[in-house]
Amino acid sequence: MTASTPVAEPTGGAGSVPSPRAGGSLRAFVKGGGLVRWTGRTGALIPVLALGFILAVLVVEAIPAIRYNGLHFFTKSIWDEGTGYNSRIVTTNGVKHLTGADYGALPEIAGTLITSAIALIVGVPISIGAALFIVERLPRRLANGVGIFLELLAGIPSVIIGLWGALTFGPFIAHHITPVIARNMPDVPVLDFFRGSTGNGEGELTSGLILAIMIIPIVAATSRDLIRQVPILPREGAVALGMSDAQTARKVTLPWVGAGIVGAVVLGLARALGETMAVAMTCGVALGAVSSNIYGTMTTIAATIVTYLDTAFLDGSGFAVRTIAELALILMVITLAVNVAARLMTRRVSGTPLPIGAGF
Amino acid sequence: MSTAADPASSPEASAERTASIAPTVTAAAQQPYDDSAVALSAVDLTLSFGQHTILSNITADIRRGAVTALIGPTGSGKTTLLRTFNRMNDKVSGYRHDGDVLIDGRSIWHPGLELTSLRRRVGMLFQRPNPFPMSILDNVVAGVRAHKMAGKPAMKSIAEQHLTEVGLWAAVKDRLKDSPFRLSGGQQQLLCLARALAIQPDVLLLDEPTSSLDPNATESIEALVRTLVPDITVVIVTHNLAQAVRIADRTIFLNKGRLVEHGPTKQLFENPAEEETANYVGGRFG
């Protein structure tokens, strides 16, 4: 990083390719490879700087909200920017806000985690099963055709999926599927989360399933590419040992690319956590309450930010926007934590090193 | 190990022994299929992938408890024949077969014979070592687990037994939880052999098992193969004629998908009945 003399490389092209016209220092800089080197260094720094900058801005914006909202922000279910027409701007502990401003983001945080969990629980097995099926069962030409559809599905704008979810998919499951489930679920802890009123199709389950549909192409396409890289020999070894297809997949094929599969799942989870529009259109945006069952209206961090931002700008004290920033910071921390956890898991999964460079 | 230590004498001795049971292939083929001397038999087997006919009208009885080598030039169909015995070809696109392969007198394609149980009885070792991405211990017992042949507490002792059998126990006993990919190529192949032996197969198919190994590792695999008979019937595909002479009791010579000659190894190499065989084993083609 501290190479201050980019031209003075000991073994460059300078000696082997004598250039009589290389007079200007700029030309020497370009010809000696300095331009490429410095472009590369700058390019490598940009992601680091960008992440740092975004985090810094979010923290600065959110600090007043963190001070006023306190720890209750994580435990309360309320979203109140102030007392309507009678509101005045007051200052508490140096933080300007409207009288009666009271925020608790439990519904947002819970909603984000629950919908993402639904998406993973439903989406990941389907994705990996589909990837295995495409690689191992479909003839090559058909597999390529299906692959094109996967990539098309990944490219559909989320607003279109959201519209379909709000107009077609949500009402359909609310009228034909969820009432049957809700009626037949026993009234015991955990399972009673699936009982009760099934609503009109806007809510947790619809959003979670929409997210599942959105992560399937990402996870499936990535897994498919990984599974294709598994060499035939260990797979044949498993088959020749009398393992069933399922055992071969579970014991040999998937562990061979285990670290990559975890990466694919995290890619999907990151999409699910941050997905905004499709969720905002199908969740019902219930800012102040956590749903009592899986069918009820809810909200996520991303959906709250996008739907509430307009209103927040009307808050003359600016406090609502700062609360939005705090919300965004939480989402950012969750996303980063998921990535770090994935890295740790990847290290554990790949505990059995693969024969890269083992040279047999 | 004593027979294997002197590889030149063992095929000869076994050849004489087996010759006294059934002097010619034709005579063995005429015996009923429940004859306990025959482990596997191909009956007029013709096999093709799409337009390409790989094997034509192969009829051969694989003697139980003996090592049978499949030799022939590249493209003669020896690996395809070997992989037919545990039905590894079935899913190749365009696969089609006529005729039959019998194991203990019963068709390997019989609907009542489950594919997984056929493969438990007919094990296989490949051209290159192919350990699974799991610990050394788990590799050895992978098949035992898949077929639920033993409970959890027995796994360690099963692994020890078979690693000892292939002579790998001393080298790996302190690193059973380690990755198999850190082992040398020869050790990996021995591990794969231990894995194949752990499910107690009746027949072991070896597809050029030493082609990627150095001479020392080759020698230890060959020595091991000799110790497997007569408990296990071994069929080995090899490009290495000297290897066939060293370890095989009987040899089948294939050329262009036809079975040219099948007989005791010594006879086939020293006094072949067919001119084609004489040309091949004499190094005049192939």
Side-chain angles (χ1 to χ4, degrees), chain A residues 99-118:
Chain A
T99 51
D102 195 2
Y103 297 97
L106 184 62
E108 281 78 10
I109 296 168
T112 302
L113 298 180
I114 291 173
T115 48
S116 295
I118 295 173

Side-chain angles (χ1 to χ4, degrees), chain B:
Chain B
M1 290 303 262
S2 63
T3 53
D6 184 4
S9 75
S10 71
E12 204 175 330
S14 307
E16 277 166 18
R17 178 170 51 79
T18 50
S20 67
I21 299 168
T24 63
V25 179
T26 345
Q30 283 160 357
Q31 288 168 358
Y33 283 115
D34 59 7
D35 186 340
S36 59
V38 177
L40 271 175
S41 56
V43 184
D44 201 22
L45 178 70
T46 296
L47 191 152
S48 52
F49 297 132
Q51 298 297 312
H52 305 283
T53 302
I54 311 294
L55 298 172
S56 350
N57 308 99
I58 304 277
T59 297
D61 290 344
I62 306 292
R63 179 102 11 116
R64 185 185 304 281
V67 177
T68 301
L70 298 179
I71 62 168
T74 304
S76 59
K78 46 191 195 307
T79 294
T80 304
L81 178 58
L82 189 81
R83 290 166 63 92
T84 304
F85 290 145
N86 65 345
R87 293 182 55 187
M88 291 292 280
N89 292 324
D90 287 21
K91 280 188 182 168
V92 178
S93 74
Y95 166 85
R96 207 160 47 78
H97 78 269
D98 286 311
D100 211 343
V101 172
L102 309 179
I103 178 166
D104 296 337
R106 226 171 138 201
S107 170
I108 60 171
W109 289 286
H110 191 283
L113 176 59
E114 274 196 42
L115 189 51
T116 51
S117 75
L118 170 73
R119 287 173 177 157
R120 199 208 56 69
R121 290 166 61 190
V122 184
M124 191 168 197
L125 198 61
F126 292 78
Q127 279 186 17
R128 285 186 297 146
N130 55 352
F132 300 151
M134 49 181 83
S135 72
I136 290 171
L137 178 77
D138 289 339
N139 259 282
V140 180
V141 297
V144 181
R145 285 213 177 103
H147 294 285
K148 299 190 172 65
M149 291 168 69
K152 214 169 194 172
M155 291 301 173
K156 180 105 188 275
S157 67
I158 288 175
E160 177 174 352
Q161 181 197 336
H162 293 284
L163 286 169
T164 310
E165 191 177 358
V166 300
L168 204 55
W169 176 249
V172 302
K173 67 174 192 295
D174 298 323
R175 47 201 278 212
L176 289 173
K177 297 282 174 197
D178 277 12
S179 161
F181 299 112
R182 293 213 183 88
L183 300 173
S184 73
Q187 288 176 321
Q188 289 188 22
Q189 192 67 309
L190 288 172
L191 176 66
C192 294
L193 183 57
R195 183 175 75 192
L197 293 175
I199 53 172
Q200 299 161 4
D202 304 327
V203 180
L204 191 60
L205 308 174
L206 311 177
D207 183 8
E208 299 185 47
T210 60
S211 62
S212 68
L213 304 182
D214 64 65
N216 282 338
T218 301
E219 203 182 318
S220 54
I221 297 261
E222 285 180 4
L224 263 166
V225 167
R226 287 306 316 174
T227 66
L228 299 178
V229 289
D231 295 337
I232 296 177
T233 305
V234 177
V235 186
I236 177 168
V237 165
T238 181
H239 262 118
N240 182 342
L241 297 183
Q243 183 172 60
V245 172
R246 282 196 300 271
I247 69 171
D249 303 308
R250 300 178 64 82
T251 298
I252 293 175
F253 171 54
L254 296 173
N255 192 18
K256 295 176 184 154
R258 290 171 301 108
L259 187 150
V260 178
E261 191 167 350
H262 177 190
T265 302
K266 188 176 156 64
Q267 182 194 320
L268 191 132
F269 276 87
E270 289 178 4
N271 191 15
E274 303 285 333
E275 202 186 334
E276 223 176 324
T277 316
N279 287 341
Y280 181 70
V281 300
R284 283 185 283 278
F285 84 103

Side-chain angles (χ1 to χ4, degrees), chain A residues 331-353:
Chain A
L331 181 58
M332 186 108 172
V333 168
I334 293 176
T335 314
L336 290 179
V338 163
N339 270 294
V340 170
R343 260 163 219 283
L344 296 177
M345 264 174 79
T346 306
R347 205 172 296 162
R348 199 182 62 78
V349 167
S350 57
T352 303

